[in-house]
Structure formats: structure tokens, C-alpha cells
Amino acid sequence: DGGITQSPKYLFRKEGQNVTLSCEQNLNHDAMYWYRQDPGQGLRLIYYSQIVNDFQKGDIAEGYSVSREKKESFPLTVTSAQKNPTAFYLCASSRDGQETQYFGPGTRLLVL
Amino acid sequence: SQQGEEDPQALSIQEGENATMNCSYKTSINNLQWYRQNSGRGLVHLILIRSNEREKHSGRLRVTLDTSKKSSSLLITASRAADTASYFCATLWNNDMRFGAGTRLTVKP
């Protein structure tokens, strides 16, 4: 099956802890994205990557970090500097950044 | 920041009726896309309309684009209970995609 996967489905973070959300795609897409969605809201861009070993900050990058060492993988780390991390996190990919984005099922992050 | 603004924020209709959702935006676009999101799930792409197109159809979906008014509409005909979801418009300009806050559609059986 071709697609984009995210894990885990639910993630719990303790105060002061860094946590990493996984995003993998086997669509051979160059571009990958991370979005944050708060209840009843649209999507806000955290980070995006157009190509391996390169990534750019989105609108709300503070308190987050990413890496793009492989074309298939774009993990997102929520650091302790992110004071309000509770949200639904969506990863997406697209062929070249100009067309349709394909979304993963999302990870819901909760703070203990 | 969000670019598109959907209207209405929420829409409730009976099964079999048509549903119309509108999207307004502020800047230039390469294309405009509509996505659907079921509760607690990822977004699913529905349809893409390019800036030089005025209307597009896909099954029960009809999308229009008026670049002079910077607006788009999504029409779902003969709605079904399974169409209940949130619908988002997204505008793309030079690799920058922006999503609106969405319209929550409820189709009552």
C-alpha cells in the first residue's frame, strides 16, 4: 500500500519532556509538511521540507524541531520550550510542493 | 496565518439536499484545493482548481473559482449522511499552502 503513516496515534508528554512524532511516506514525494490543528480550527504550518537535508520554518515553529535525513521520513520533535503542545498534529506530503497534499491519520498529543 | 475563510462556519441540512460552502481569500493563487476531514482523522483531498479554471466537477462535487472576487464555492449535490465532516479550502501560492478554518457540515438522515 502506498501512503503516509504517523505514529503514535496518541502521545502523552510530561512537563519538561521532549517527544518525537513519526511521519513516514512511501509515495516518493519530495515535499513534506507538519501542521498543528487546535479544536475547531484550521491547520497551521509548523515546518516544511522541499527536499532531503533541507527544511524551512512555518508560521508556528517556536518550540518545535524537525530533521529530513531521508526522503521517506520527516520526524517532528516537540520540545519543552513549547508551552502549549496539546493539539492534533498532521503530517502531509506532496510530489513537488505545487499540487495535492496527502495527509497522514494524525497524532494527538496530550500533556500529563 | 490562515489565508482562506470559509463561510458558513457550520451548516446543517437534510439528506438529499444540496450543500454549498464558500471560501474567500486575500492574495494571488496558483491553485485552490478543497479537503475533507472526518472527526479525529487526517484530511482527504477532494478537488483542485487552477487559477485559470472557472469550474470543475468530480462526482457529486462542483467547485467554482472567481479570481476577480478572490472566492471559491464547493457544492455537494444530493448529500448523504456520510458527507458529514469538516470541509477546508486551501490556497497555494509559490509553494506556500494556506488553509481556512473550515465549514462543519452535518447531514441529517
Side-chain angles (χ1 to χ4, degrees), chain B residues 28-66:
Chain B
S28 299
I29 62 170
N30 298 119
N31 64 56
L32 185 144
Q33 303 176 33
W34 284 90
Y35 289 80
R36 165 196 169 123
Q37 183 182 34
N38 286 81
S39 183
R41 303 286 192 91
L43 276 69
V44 174
H45 179 257
L46 296 176
I47 198 163
L48 180 154
I49 187 165
R50 301 187 191 281
S51 59
N52 61 353
E53 297 176 312
R54 292 297 167 258
E55 187 171 313
K56 218 166 179 183
H57 297 254
S58 176
R60 293 183 296 113
L61 305 180
R62 173 178 168 250
V63 169
T64 62
L65 178 65
D66 186 336

PDB file of all heavy atoms in Angstrom, chain B residues 28-66:
ATOM      1  N   SER B  28      -2.842  36.387  -4.302  1.00  0.00           N
ATOM      2  CA  SER B  28      -2.816  35.628  -5.549  1.00  0.00           C
ATOM      3  C   SER B  28      -2.707  34.136  -5.248  1.00  0.00           C
ATOM      4  O   SER B  28      -2.240  33.741  -4.178  1.00  0.00           O
ATOM      5  CB  SER B  28      -1.618  36.068  -6.401  1.00  0.00           C
ATOM      6  OG  SER B  28      -1.711  37.420  -6.730  1.00  0.00           O
ATOM      7  N   ILE B  29      -3.137  33.335  -6.193  1.00  0.00           N
ATOM      8  CA  ILE B  29      -3.047  31.880  -6.025  1.00  0.00           C
ATOM      9  C   ILE B  29      -2.570  31.213  -7.304  1.00  0.00           C
ATOM     10  O   ILE B  29      -2.796  31.722  -8.406  1.00  0.00           O
ATOM     11  CB  ILE B  29      -4.397  31.261  -5.606  1.00  0.00           C
ATOM     12  CG1 ILE B  29      -5.456  31.502  -6.678  1.00  0.00           C
ATOM     13  CG2 ILE B  29      -4.847  31.790  -4.258  1.00  0.00           C
ATOM     14  CD1 ILE B  29      -6.754  30.705  -6.445  1.00  0.00           C
ATOM     15  N   ASN B  30      -1.907  30.050  -7.136  1.00  0.00           N
ATOM     16  CA  ASN B  30      -1.614  29.153  -8.264  1.00  0.00           C
ATOM     17  C   ASN B  30      -2.787  28.204  -8.443  1.00  0.00           C
ATOM     18  O   ASN B  30      -3.177  27.871  -9.548  1.00  0.00           O
ATOM     19  CB  ASN B  30      -0.349  28.336  -8.008  1.00  0.00           C
ATOM     20  CG  ASN B  30       0.875  29.222  -7.868  1.00  0.00           C
ATOM     21  OD1 ASN B  30       1.535  29.239  -6.831  1.00  0.00           O
ATOM     22  ND2 ASN B  30       1.192  29.962  -8.911  1.00  0.00           N
ATOM     23  N   ASN B  31      -3.282  27.684  -7.320  1.00  0.00           N
ATOM     24  CA  ASN B  31      -4.469  26.854  -7.344  1.00  0.00           C
ATOM     25  C   ASN B  31      -5.188  26.917  -6.008  1.00  0.00           C
ATOM     26  O   ASN B  31      -4.642  27.445  -5.025  1.00  0.00           O
ATOM     27  CB  ASN B  31      -4.141  25.397  -7.731  1.00  0.00           C
ATOM     28  CG  ASN B  31      -3.243  24.692  -6.729  1.00  0.00           C
ATOM     29  OD1 ASN B  31      -3.558  24.608  -5.539  1.00  0.00           O
ATOM     30  ND2 ASN B  31      -2.113  24.162  -7.195  1.00  0.00           N
ATOM     31  N   LEU B  32      -6.399  26.413  -5.976  1.00  0.00           N
ATOM     32  CA  LEU B  32      -7.192  26.344  -4.755  1.00  0.00           C
ATOM     33  C   LEU B  32      -7.680  24.913  -4.632  1.00  0.00           C
ATOM     34  O   LEU B  32      -8.116  24.307  -5.623  1.00  0.00           O
ATOM     35  CB  LEU B  32      -8.355  27.324  -4.802  1.00  0.00           C
ATOM     36  CG  LEU B  32      -9.202  27.455  -3.531  1.00  0.00           C
ATOM     37  CD1 LEU B  32      -9.656  28.902  -3.345  1.00  0.00           C
ATOM     38  CD2 LEU B  32     -10.377  26.523  -3.496  1.00  0.00           C
ATOM     39  N   GLN B  33      -7.592  24.380  -3.435  1.00  0.00           N
ATOM     40  CA  GLN B  33      -7.945  22.984  -3.214  1.00  0.00           C
ATOM     41  C   GLN B  33      -8.992  22.890  -2.098  1.00  0.00           C
ATOM     42  O   GLN B  33      -9.012  23.721  -1.188  1.00  0.00           O
ATOM     43  CB  GLN B  33      -6.699  22.180  -2.827  1.00  0.00           C
ATOM     44  CG  GLN B  33      -5.593  22.282  -3.870  1.00  0.00           C
ATOM     45  CD  GLN B  33      -4.329  21.567  -3.464  1.00  0.00           C
ATOM     46  OE1 GLN B  33      -4.363  20.543  -2.780  1.00  0.00           O
ATOM     47  NE2 GLN B  33      -3.179  22.080  -3.891  1.00  0.00           N
ATOM     48  N   TRP B  34      -9.828  21.881  -2.194  1.00  0.00           N
ATOM     49  CA  TRP B  34     -10.780  21.584  -1.124  1.00  0.00           C
ATOM     50  C   TRP B  34     -10.429  20.226  -0.528  1.00  0.00           C
ATOM     51  O   TRP B  34     -10.125  19.271  -1.251  1.00  0.00           O
ATOM     52  CB  TRP B  34     -12.211  21.565  -1.665  1.00  0.00           C
ATOM     53  CG  TRP B  34     -12.764  22.933  -1.927  1.00  0.00           C
ATOM     54  CD1 TRP B  34     -12.688  23.645  -3.097  1.00  0.00           C
ATOM     55  CD2 TRP B  34     -13.480  23.760  -1.014  1.00  0.00           C
ATOM     56  NE1 TRP B  34     -13.305  24.860  -2.953  1.00  0.00           N
ATOM     57  CE2 TRP B  34     -13.810  24.957  -1.687  1.00  0.00           C
ATOM     58  CE3 TRP B  34     -13.889  23.615   0.317  1.00  0.00           C
ATOM     59  CZ2 TRP B  34     -14.521  25.999  -1.081  1.00  0.00           C
ATOM     60  CZ3 TRP B  34     -14.593  24.645   0.920  1.00  0.00           C
ATOM     61  CH2 TRP B  34     -14.910  25.816   0.226  1.00  0.00           C
ATOM     62  N   TYR B  35     -10.495  20.183   0.800  1.00  0.00           N
ATOM     63  CA  TYR B  35     -10.210  18.963   1.538  1.00  0.00           C
ATOM     64  C   TYR B  35     -11.364  18.674   2.489  1.00  0.00           C
ATOM     65  O   TYR B  35     -12.098  19.575   2.916  1.00  0.00           O
ATOM     66  CB  TYR B  35      -8.927  19.113   2.378  1.00  0.00           C
ATOM     67  CG  TYR B  35      -7.649  19.159   1.582  1.00  0.00           C
ATOM     68  CD1 TYR B  35      -7.229  20.326   0.958  1.00  0.00           C
ATOM     69  CD2 TYR B  35      -6.859  18.021   1.451  1.00  0.00           C
ATOM     70  CE1 TYR B  35      -6.048  20.366   0.231  1.00  0.00           C
ATOM     71  CE2 TYR B  35      -5.676  18.053   0.734  1.00  0.00           C
ATOM     72  CZ  TYR B  35      -5.272  19.233   0.130  1.00  0.00           C
ATOM     73  OH  TYR B  35      -4.101  19.263  -0.588  1.00  0.00           O
ATOM     74  N   ARG B  36     -11.471  17.420   2.860  1.00  0.00           N
ATOM     75  CA  ARG B  36     -12.486  16.976   3.799  1.00  0.00           C
ATOM     76  C   ARG B  36     -11.775  16.317   4.973  1.00  0.00           C
ATOM     77  O   ARG B  36     -10.751  15.650   4.811  1.00  0.00           O
ATOM     78  CB  ARG B  36     -13.381  15.967   3.077  1.00  0.00           C
ATOM     79  CG  ARG B  36     -14.260  15.127   3.972  1.00  0.00           C
ATOM     80  CD  ARG B  36     -14.784  13.921   3.210  1.00  0.00           C
ATOM     81  NE  ARG B  36     -15.406  12.999   4.126  1.00  0.00           N
ATOM     82  CZ  ARG B  36     -16.660  12.587   4.013  1.00  0.00           C
ATOM     83  NH1 ARG B  36     -17.404  12.996   3.011  1.00  0.00           N
ATOM     84  NH2 ARG B  36     -17.154  11.751   4.889  1.00  0.00           N
ATOM     85  N   GLN B  37     -12.350  16.520   6.181  1.00  0.00           N
ATOM     86  CA  GLN B  37     -11.789  15.898   7.367  1.00  0.00           C
ATOM     87  C   GLN B  37     -12.911  15.325   8.212  1.00  0.00           C
ATOM     88  O   GLN B  37     -13.783  16.066   8.683  1.00  0.00           O
ATOM     89  CB  GLN B  37     -10.989  16.901   8.201  1.00  0.00           C
ATOM     90  CG  GLN B  37     -10.314  16.264   9.415  1.00  0.00           C
ATOM     91  CD  GLN B  37      -9.556  17.274  10.273  1.00  0.00           C
ATOM     92  OE1 GLN B  37      -9.966  18.416  10.397  1.00  0.00           O
ATOM     93  NE2 GLN B  37      -8.437  16.836  10.862  1.00  0.00           N
ATOM     94  N   ASN B  38     -12.878  14.008   8.381  1.00  0.00           N
ATOM     95  CA  ASN B  38     -13.778  13.380   9.339  1.00  0.00           C
ATOM     96  C   ASN B  38     -13.183  13.577  10.735  1.00  0.00           C
ATOM     97  O   ASN B  38     -11.973  13.696  10.900  1.00  0.00           O
ATOM     98  CB  ASN B  38     -13.949  11.898   9.024  1.00  0.00           C
ATOM     99  CG  ASN B  38     -14.816  11.697   7.817  1.00  0.00           C
ATOM    100  OD1 ASN B  38     -14.333  11.812   6.690  1.00  0.00           O
ATOM    101  ND2 ASN B  38     -16.074  11.433   8.020  1.00  0.00           N
ATOM    102  N   SER B  39     -14.030  13.580  11.739  1.00  0.00           N
ATOM    103  CA  SER B  39     -13.623  13.896  13.099  1.00  0.00           C
ATOM    104  C   SER B  39     -12.445  13.040  13.554  1.00  0.00           C
ATOM    105  O   SER B  39     -12.504  11.811  13.472  1.00  0.00           O
ATOM    106  CB  SER B  39     -14.810  13.705  14.045  1.00  0.00           C
ATOM    107  OG  SER B  39     -14.443  14.082  15.350  1.00  0.00           O
ATOM    108  N   GLY B  40     -11.371  13.699  13.994  1.00  0.00           N
ATOM    109  CA  GLY B  40     -10.221  12.983  14.518  1.00  0.00           C
ATOM    110  C   GLY B  40      -9.372  12.277  13.487  1.00  0.00           C
ATOM    111  O   GLY B  40      -8.531  11.446  13.843  1.00  0.00           O
ATOM    112  N   ARG B  41      -9.559  12.617  12.221  1.00  0.00           N
ATOM    113  CA  ARG B  41      -8.797  11.956  11.158  1.00  0.00           C
ATOM    114  C   ARG B  41      -7.963  12.961  10.378  1.00  0.00           C
ATOM    115  O   ARG B  41      -8.069  14.175  10.581  1.00  0.00           O
ATOM    116  CB  ARG B  41      -9.763  11.270  10.177  1.00  0.00           C
ATOM    117  CG  ARG B  41     -10.691  10.261  10.812  1.00  0.00           C
ATOM    118  CD  ARG B  41      -9.947   8.990  11.174  1.00  0.00           C
ATOM    119  NE  ARG B  41     -10.835   7.912  11.527  1.00  0.00           N
ATOM    120  CZ  ARG B  41     -11.313   7.027  10.662  1.00  0.00           C
ATOM    121  NH1 ARG B  41     -10.996   7.128   9.384  1.00  0.00           N
ATOM    122  NH2 ARG B  41     -12.100   6.067  11.066  1.00  0.00           N
ATOM    123  N   GLY B  42      -7.145  12.452   9.471  1.00  0.00           N
ATOM    124  CA  GLY B  42      -6.401  13.327   8.575  1.00  0.00           C
ATOM    125  C   GLY B  42      -7.299  13.902   7.490  1.00  0.00           C
ATOM    126  O   GLY B  42      -8.455  13.522   7.357  1.00  0.00           O
ATOM    127  N   LEU B  43      -6.750  14.849   6.731  1.00  0.00           N
ATOM    128  CA  LEU B  43      -7.503  15.455   5.652  1.00  0.00           C
ATOM    129  C   LEU B  43      -7.410  14.603   4.394  1.00  0.00           C
ATOM    130  O   LEU B  43      -6.383  13.981   4.128  1.00  0.00           O
ATOM    131  CB  LEU B  43      -6.976  16.853   5.351  1.00  0.00           C
ATOM    132  CG  LEU B  43      -7.511  17.981   6.221  1.00  0.00           C
ATOM    133  CD1 LEU B  43      -6.999  17.864   7.654  1.00  0.00           C
ATOM    134  CD2 LEU B  43      -7.120  19.331   5.633  1.00  0.00           C
ATOM    135  N   VAL B  44      -8.496  14.624   3.637  1.00  0.00           N
ATOM    136  CA  VAL B  44      -8.543  13.905   2.371  1.00  0.00           C
ATOM    137  C   VAL B  44      -8.800  14.917   1.261  1.00  0.00           C
ATOM    138  O   VAL B  44      -9.719  15.730   1.353  1.00  0.00           O
ATOM    139  CB  VAL B  44      -9.658  12.833   2.374  1.00  0.00           C
ATOM    140  CG1 VAL B  44      -9.779  12.196   1.003  1.00  0.00           C
ATOM    141  CG2 VAL B  44      -9.371  11.780   3.433  1.00  0.00           C
ATOM    142  N   HIS B  45      -7.965  14.853   0.229  1.00  0.00           N
ATOM    143  CA  HIS B  45      -8.107  15.789  -0.883  1.00  0.00           C
ATOM    144  C   HIS B  45      -9.357  15.473  -1.690  1.00  0.00           C
ATOM    145  O   HIS B  45      -9.649  14.313  -2.012  1.00  0.00           O
ATOM    146  CB  HIS B  45      -6.880  15.686  -1.783  1.00  0.00           C
ATOM    147  CG  HIS B  45      -6.944  16.585  -2.967  1.00  0.00           C
ATOM    148  ND1 HIS B  45      -7.252  16.136  -4.229  1.00  0.00           N
ATOM    149  CD2 HIS B  45      -6.737  17.913  -3.083  1.00  0.00           C
ATOM    150  CE1 HIS B  45      -7.232  17.154  -5.066  1.00  0.00           C
ATOM    151  NE2 HIS B  45      -6.920  18.243  -4.397  1.00  0.00           N
ATOM    152  N   LEU B  46     -10.129  16.518  -2.021  1.00  0.00           N
ATOM    153  CA  LEU B  46     -11.348  16.337  -2.820  1.00  0.00           C
ATOM    154  C   LEU B  46     -11.159  16.798  -4.254  1.00  0.00           C
ATOM    155  O   LEU B  46     -11.484  16.066  -5.195  1.00  0.00           O
ATOM    156  CB  LEU B  46     -12.503  17.128  -2.184  1.00  0.00           C
ATOM    157  CG  LEU B  46     -12.958  16.685  -0.794  1.00  0.00           C
ATOM    158  CD1 LEU B  46     -14.024  17.640  -0.277  1.00  0.00           C
ATOM    159  CD2 LEU B  46     -13.469  15.251  -0.828  1.00  0.00           C
ATOM    160  N   ILE B  47     -10.673  18.008  -4.420  1.00  0.00           N
ATOM    161  CA  ILE B  47     -10.634  18.574  -5.764  1.00  0.00           C
ATOM    162  C   ILE B  47      -9.670  19.755  -5.789  1.00  0.00           C
ATOM    163  O   ILE B  47      -9.503  20.461  -4.781  1.00  0.00           O
ATOM    164  CB  ILE B  47     -12.059  18.980  -6.207  1.00  0.00           C
ATOM    165  CG1 ILE B  47     -12.154  19.160  -7.712  1.00  0.00           C
ATOM    166  CG2 ILE B  47     -12.557  20.187  -5.435  1.00  0.00           C
ATOM    167  CD1 ILE B  47     -13.597  19.161  -8.231  1.00  0.00           C
ATOM    168  N   LEU B  48      -9.018  19.948  -6.922  1.00  0.00           N
ATOM    169  CA  LEU B  48      -8.080  21.063  -7.125  1.00  0.00           C
ATOM    170  C   LEU B  48      -8.536  21.843  -8.326  1.00  0.00           C
ATOM    171  O   LEU B  48      -8.850  21.257  -9.379  1.00  0.00           O
ATOM    172  CB  LEU B  48      -6.667  20.522  -7.348  1.00  0.00           C
ATOM    173  CG  LEU B  48      -5.499  21.491  -7.581  1.00  0.00           C
ATOM    174  CD1 LEU B  48      -4.187  20.843  -7.130  1.00  0.00           C
ATOM    175  CD2 LEU B  48      -5.391  21.926  -9.029  1.00  0.00           C
ATOM    176  N   ILE B  49      -8.579  23.157  -8.208  1.00  0.00           N
ATOM    177  CA  ILE B  49      -8.929  24.012  -9.335  1.00  0.00           C
ATOM    178  C   ILE B  49      -7.813  25.035  -9.512  1.00  0.00           C
ATOM    179  O   ILE B  49      -7.360  25.666  -8.549  1.00  0.00           O
ATOM    180  CB  ILE B  49     -10.324  24.676  -9.139  1.00  0.00           C
ATOM    181  CG1 ILE B  49     -10.729  25.427 -10.402  1.00  0.00           C
ATOM    182  CG2 ILE B  49     -10.364  25.557  -7.902  1.00  0.00           C
ATOM    183  CD1 ILE B  49     -12.226  25.781 -10.422  1.00  0.00           C
ATOM    184  N   ARG B  50      -7.319  25.157 -10.751  1.00  0.00           N
ATOM    185  CA  ARG B  50      -6.196  26.045 -11.013  1.00  0.00           C
ATOM    186  C   ARG B  50      -6.699  27.471 -11.219  1.00  0.00           C
ATOM    187  O   ARG B  50      -7.863  27.701 -11.514  1.00  0.00           O
ATOM    188  CB  ARG B  50      -5.420  25.557 -12.237  1.00  0.00           C
ATOM    189  CG  ARG B  50      -4.892  24.165 -12.050  1.00  0.00           C
ATOM    190  CD  ARG B  50      -3.968  23.704 -13.160  1.00  0.00           C
ATOM    191  NE  ARG B  50      -3.713  22.271 -13.033  1.00  0.00           N
ATOM    192  CZ  ARG B  50      -2.860  21.749 -12.172  1.00  0.00           C
ATOM    193  NH1 ARG B  50      -2.170  22.532 -11.354  1.00  0.00           N
ATOM    194  NH2 ARG B  50      -2.686  20.441 -12.118  1.00  0.00           N
ATOM    195  N   SER B  51      -5.804  28.408 -11.130  1.00  0.00           N
ATOM    196  CA  SER B  51      -6.193  29.821 -11.179  1.00  0.00           C
ATOM    197  C   SER B  51      -6.787  30.214 -12.532  1.00  0.00           C
ATOM    198  O   SER B  51      -7.515  31.209 -12.621  1.00  0.00           O
ATOM    199  CB  SER B  51      -4.995  30.719 -10.863  1.00  0.00           C
ATOM    200  OG  SER B  51      -3.947  30.500 -11.794  1.00  0.00           O
ATOM    201  N   ASN B  52      -6.498  29.437 -13.590  1.00  0.00           N
ATOM    202  CA  ASN B  52      -7.051  29.770 -14.907  1.00  0.00           C
ATOM    203  C   ASN B  52      -8.313  28.966 -15.227  1.00  0.00           C
ATOM    204  O   ASN B  52      -8.811  29.001 -16.355  1.00  0.00           O
ATOM    205  CB  ASN B  52      -6.005  29.551 -16.005  1.00  0.00           C
ATOM    206  CG  ASN B  52      -5.538  28.108 -16.076  1.00  0.00           C
ATOM    207  OD1 ASN B  52      -5.886  27.294 -15.229  1.00  0.00           O
ATOM    208  ND2 ASN B  52      -4.757  27.787 -17.081  1.00  0.00           N
ATOM    209  N   GLU B  53      -8.819  28.238 -14.247  1.00  0.00           N
ATOM    210  CA  GLU B  53     -10.054  27.480 -14.416  1.00  0.00           C
ATOM    211  C   GLU B  53     -11.180  28.165 -13.662  1.00  0.00           C
ATOM    212  O   GLU B  53     -10.950  28.835 -12.643  1.00  0.00           O
ATOM    213  CB  GLU B  53      -9.876  26.039 -13.908  1.00  0.00           C
ATOM    214  CG  GLU B  53      -8.831  25.258 -14.699  1.00  0.00           C
ATOM    215  CD  GLU B  53      -8.598  23.877 -14.108  1.00  0.00           C
ATOM    216  OE1 GLU B  53      -8.404  23.769 -12.875  1.00  0.00           O
ATOM    217  OE2 GLU B  53      -8.580  22.907 -14.897  1.00  0.00           O
ATOM    218  N   ARG B  54     -12.400  27.970 -14.140  1.00  0.00           N
ATOM    219  CA  ARG B  54     -13.550  28.627 -13.508  1.00  0.00           C
ATOM    220  C   ARG B  54     -14.482  27.647 -12.817  1.00  0.00           C
ATOM    221  O   ARG B  54     -15.188  28.011 -11.876  1.00  0.00           O
ATOM    222  CB  ARG B  54     -14.317  29.427 -14.550  1.00  0.00           C
ATOM    223  CG  ARG B  54     -13.537  30.625 -15.064  1.00  0.00           C
ATOM    224  CD  ARG B  54     -13.264  31.624 -13.954  1.00  0.00           C
ATOM    225  NE  ARG B  54     -12.271  32.614 -14.337  1.00  0.00           N
ATOM    226  CZ  ARG B  54     -11.011  32.560 -13.932  1.00  0.00           C
ATOM    227  NH1 ARG B  54     -10.592  31.569 -13.127  1.00  0.00           N
ATOM    228  NH2 ARG B  54     -10.140  33.482 -14.303  1.00  0.00           N
ATOM    229  N   GLU B  55     -14.486  26.413 -13.317  1.00  0.00           N
ATOM    230  CA  GLU B  55     -15.406  25.428 -12.745  1.00  0.00           C
ATOM    231  C   GLU B  55     -14.824  24.048 -12.946  1.00  0.00           C
ATOM    232  O   GLU B  55     -14.177  23.763 -13.955  1.00  0.00           O
ATOM    233  CB  GLU B  55     -16.774  25.530 -13.432  1.00  0.00           C
ATOM    234  CG  GLU B  55     -17.853  24.677 -12.806  1.00  0.00           C
ATOM    235  CD  GLU B  55     -19.219  24.986 -13.387  1.00  0.00           C
ATOM    236  OE1 GLU B  55     -19.561  26.181 -13.498  1.00  0.00           O
ATOM    237  OE2 GLU B  55     -19.950  24.042 -13.730  1.00  0.00           O
ATOM    238  N   LYS B  56     -15.078  23.178 -11.955  1.00  0.00           N
ATOM    239  CA  LYS B  56     -14.615  21.811 -12.061  1.00  0.00           C
ATOM    240  C   LYS B  56     -15.622  20.893 -11.376  1.00  0.00           C
ATOM    241  O   LYS B  56     -16.236  21.264 -10.371  1.00  0.00           O
ATOM    242  CB  LYS B  56     -13.240  21.664 -11.415  1.00  0.00           C
ATOM    243  CG  LYS B  56     -12.323  20.731 -12.150  1.00  0.00           C
ATOM    244  CD  LYS B  56     -10.904  20.880 -11.671  1.00  0.00           C
ATOM    245  CE  LYS B  56     -10.038  19.898 -12.421  1.00  0.00           C
ATOM    246  NZ  LYS B  56      -8.669  19.929 -11.962  1.00  0.00           N
ATOM    247  N   HIS B  57     -15.766  19.679 -11.915  1.00  0.00           N
ATOM    248  CA  HIS B  57     -16.704  18.713 -11.363  1.00  0.00           C
ATOM    249  C   HIS B  57     -15.965  17.435 -11.019  1.00  0.00           C
ATOM    250  O   HIS B  57     -15.012  17.053 -11.692  1.00  0.00           O
ATOM    251  CB  HIS B  57     -17.793  18.382 -12.383  1.00  0.00           C
ATOM    252  CG  HIS B  57     -18.646  19.541 -12.749  1.00  0.00           C
ATOM    253  ND1 HIS B  57     -19.939  19.688 -12.294  1.00  0.00           N
ATOM    254  CD2 HIS B  57     -18.398  20.619 -13.522  1.00  0.00           C
ATOM    255  CE1 HIS B  57     -20.446  20.804 -12.796  1.00  0.00           C
ATOM    256  NE2 HIS B  57     -19.536  21.388 -13.540  1.00  0.00           N
ATOM    257  N   SER B  58     -16.450  16.783  -9.942  1.00  0.00           N
ATOM    258  CA  SER B  58     -15.961  15.454  -9.615  1.00  0.00           C
ATOM    259  C   SER B  58     -17.071  14.720  -8.880  1.00  0.00           C
ATOM    260  O   SER B  58     -17.358  15.003  -7.713  1.00  0.00           O
ATOM    261  CB  SER B  58     -14.710  15.540  -8.723  1.00  0.00           C
ATOM    262  OG  SER B  58     -14.288  14.250  -8.328  1.00  0.00           O
ATOM    263  N   GLY B  59     -17.747  13.823  -9.588  1.00  0.00           N
ATOM    264  CA  GLY B  59     -18.864  13.104  -8.980  1.00  0.00           C
ATOM    265  C   GLY B  59     -19.957  14.066  -8.541  1.00  0.00           C
ATOM    266  O   GLY B  59     -20.460  14.852  -9.350  1.00  0.00           O
ATOM    267  N   ARG B  60     -20.296  14.062  -7.258  1.00  0.00           N
ATOM    268  CA  ARG B  60     -21.331  14.956  -6.733  1.00  0.00           C
ATOM    269  C   ARG B  60     -20.774  16.313  -6.313  1.00  0.00           C
ATOM    270  O   ARG B  60     -21.494  17.138  -5.748  1.00  0.00           O
ATOM    271  CB  ARG B  60     -22.015  14.290  -5.521  1.00  0.00           C
ATOM    272  CG  ARG B  60     -22.826  13.043  -5.867  1.00  0.00           C
ATOM    273  CD  ARG B  60     -23.551  12.459  -4.640  1.00  0.00           C
ATOM    274  NE  ARG B  60     -22.626  11.997  -3.623  1.00  0.00           N
ATOM    275  CZ  ARG B  60     -22.498  12.549  -2.424  1.00  0.00           C
ATOM    276  NH1 ARG B  60     -23.211  13.619  -2.085  1.00  0.00           N
ATOM    277  NH2 ARG B  60     -21.655  12.053  -1.538  1.00  0.00           N
ATOM    278  N   LEU B  61     -19.509  16.551  -6.578  1.00  0.00           N
ATOM    279  CA  LEU B  61     -18.869  17.807  -6.192  1.00  0.00           C
ATOM    280  C   LEU B  61     -18.751  18.747  -7.386  1.00  0.00           C
ATOM    281  O   LEU B  61     -18.414  18.327  -8.494  1.00  0.00           O
ATOM    282  CB  LEU B  61     -17.468  17.555  -5.645  1.00  0.00           C
ATOM    283  CG  LEU B  61     -17.316  16.576  -4.491  1.00  0.00           C
ATOM    284  CD1 LEU B  61     -15.851  16.462  -4.098  1.00  0.00           C
ATOM    285  CD2 LEU B  61     -18.163  16.976  -3.309  1.00  0.00           C
ATOM    286  N   ARG B  62     -19.037  20.018  -7.110  1.00  0.00           N
ATOM    287  CA  ARG B  62     -18.829  21.058  -8.128  1.00  0.00           C
ATOM    288  C   ARG B  62     -18.118  22.223  -7.446  1.00  0.00           C
ATOM    289  O   ARG B  62     -18.595  22.729  -6.435  1.00  0.00           O
ATOM    290  CB  ARG B  62     -20.154  21.511  -8.717  1.00  0.00           C
ATOM    291  CG  ARG B  62     -20.025  22.713  -9.652  1.00  0.00           C
ATOM    292  CD  ARG B  62     -21.382  23.076 -10.241  1.00  0.00           C
ATOM    293  NE  ARG B  62     -21.332  24.371 -10.914  1.00  0.00           N
ATOM    294  CZ  ARG B  62     -21.918  25.471 -10.469  1.00  0.00           C
ATOM    295  NH1 ARG B  62     -22.588  25.459  -9.338  1.00  0.00           N
ATOM    296  NH2 ARG B  62     -21.825  26.598 -11.153  1.00  0.00           N
ATOM    297  N   VAL B  63     -17.005  22.615  -8.016  1.00  0.00           N
ATOM    298  CA  VAL B  63     -16.231  23.726  -7.466  1.00  0.00           C
ATOM    299  C   VAL B  63     -16.183  24.845  -8.494  1.00  0.00           C
ATOM    300  O   VAL B  63     -15.974  24.594  -9.680  1.00  0.00           O
ATOM    301  CB  VAL B  63     -14.797  23.289  -7.106  1.00  0.00           C
ATOM    302  CG1 VAL B  63     -13.923  24.496  -6.794  1.00  0.00           C
ATOM    303  CG2 VAL B  63     -14.829  22.351  -5.907  1.00  0.00           C
ATOM    304  N   THR B  64     -16.377  26.072  -8.030  1.00  0.00           N
ATOM    305  CA  THR B  64     -16.207  27.239  -8.883  1.00  0.00           C
ATOM    306  C   THR B  64     -15.116  28.133  -8.302  1.00  0.00           C
ATOM    307  O   THR B  64     -14.850  28.104  -7.098  1.00  0.00           O
ATOM    308  CB  THR B  64     -17.510  28.043  -8.994  1.00  0.00           C
ATOM    309  OG1 THR B  64     -17.883  28.510  -7.700  1.00  0.00           O
ATOM    310  CG2 THR B  64     -18.628  27.198  -9.584  1.00  0.00           C
ATOM    311  N   LEU B  65     -14.505  28.898  -9.169  1.00  0.00           N
ATOM    312  CA  LEU B  65     -13.450  29.828  -8.749  1.00  0.00           C
ATOM    313  C   LEU B  65     -13.643  31.142  -9.475  1.00  0.00           C
ATOM    314  O   LEU B  65     -13.753  31.166 -10.713  1.00  0.00           O
ATOM    315  CB  LEU B  65     -12.074  29.244  -9.057  1.00  0.00           C
ATOM    316  CG  LEU B  65     -10.871  30.135  -8.711  1.00  0.00           C
ATOM    317  CD1 LEU B  65     -10.773  30.356  -7.203  1.00  0.00           C
ATOM    318  CD2 LEU B  65      -9.584  29.511  -9.239  1.00  0.00           C
ATOM    319  N   ASP B  66     -13.681  32.227  -8.721  1.00  0.00           N
ATOM    320  CA  ASP B  66     -13.775  33.565  -9.280  1.00  0.00           C
ATOM    321  C   ASP B  66     -12.564  34.344  -8.766  1.00  0.00           C
ATOM    322  O   ASP B  66     -12.572  34.850  -7.643  1.00  0.00           O
ATOM    323  CB  ASP B  66     -15.079  34.231  -8.853  1.00  0.00           C
ATOM    324  CG  ASP B  66     -15.306  35.569  -9.529  1.00  0.00           C
ATOM    325  OD1 ASP B  66     -14.310  36.210  -9.961  1.00  0.00           O
ATOM    326  OD2 ASP B  66     -16.463  36.002  -9.609  1.00  0.00           O
TER     327      ASP B  66
END
